[in-house]
Amino acid sequence: MPLSMMETGGSGVIKRVGGKEETRRFLENLGFVTGGTVTVVSETGGNIIVNVKDARIAIGRDMANRIMV
């Protein structure tokens, strides 16, 4: 399922990062790599705040839809 559908407080393992090559590379540089763990911290106004690799990152819902967990 896409990261955007996870509930607040839920965590999962990243199965796949989709999108164009440029988008995938951008997300990988932020720490969204296959096999990595991601936890949803909160969701506000279409943006999702997640913990990935000991860092909090805010991404938009459109980006979160490209990350499968």
Side-chain angles (χ1 to χ4, degrees), residues 41-65:
V41 176
S42 68
E43 189 174 348
T44 309
N47 294 322
I48 300 172
I49 299 173
V50 296
N51 271 343
V52 63
K53 290 198 173 185
D54 298 327
R56 281 193 177 182
I57 299 173
I59 58 173
R61 182 168 294 283
D62 58 332
M63 286 286 190
N65 283 332

